[in-house]
Amino acid sequence: PIETGVMIEIPSAALLSDRFAPLVDFFSIGTNDLPQYTLAADRGNAELAEYNDALHPAVLRLVEQVVESAKRHGKRVGVCGELAGDPLAAPVLVGLGVDEFSLAPAAIPRVKETIRALEEEPAKLLAGRALQMDGAASVRRDAREYLHWQPGG
């Protein structure tokens, strides 16, 4: 049988992920569109670029909701888009419980190296802090500091 998944690219899909979970084999979170629609900042508009950051706590809370829905139903969650290829995002996403990353081939070695160096509990703590922060800049700062203290950081 062919696996069936659902793309989570709009906030309403994330909010209803508990309803979709029994119907699918996996979720894939689109980290280019989801922030755009969550933060009302068109990713094609350069003047709004600073407001469209997938590491914003509002976006991360939606990711968390999808992961929780998926895990309750024994489903896996992947992320695709620019955030999946950002090594700074890897510990936050792993800490939230994301299972898979779909990224450009050029980014694979660095993200893979970052993920391999992670420890589960500290990554979960980082993700928990990220959910409580005021904005993406704070999340990025905390993630950068976290990675600095990791082996090889």
Side-chain angles (χ1 to χ4, degrees), residues 8-139:
I8 303 295
E9 295 184 311
I10 56 175
S12 58
L15 294 170
L16 293 174
S17 59
D18 61 326
R19 303 284 175 95
F20 300 137
L23 307 173
V24 300
D25 298 304
F26 64 92
F27 288 99
S28 183
I29 300 172
T31 64
N32 292 342
D33 286 329
L34 185 60
Q36 165 178 255
Y37 297 121
T38 302
L39 303 171
D42 181 359
R43 66 183 171 132
N45 185 335
E47 292 180 31
L48 299 176
E50 69 180 285
Y51 302 107
N52 185 359
D53 191 325
L55 279 179
H56 191 284
V59 177
L60 296 176
R61 287 180 184 191
L62 292 172
V63 171
E64 176 191 41
Q65 184 161 350
V66 173
V67 169
E68 287 178 357
S69 296
K71 300 304 178 191
R72 272 195 303 275
H73 294 275
K75 310 301 168 88
R76 63 188 191 284
V77 178
V79 292
C80 60
E82 296 297 320
L83 196 64
D86 183 350
L88 202 57
V92 177
L93 294 171
V94 169
L96 288 173
V98 169
D99 302 301
E100 301 172 3
F101 291 68
S102 176
L103 53 145
I108 291 172
R110 188 141 181 245
V111 172
K112 193 175 195 178
E113 177 185 3
T114 301
I115 291 172
R116 284 183 172 163
L118 295 177
E119 294 180 18
E120 186 177 356
E121 286 309 310
K124 284 182 179 180
L125 291 172
L126 172 69
R129 286 193 308 271
L131 295 172
Q132 302 306 314
M133 292 186 175
D134 294 332
S138 299
V139 174

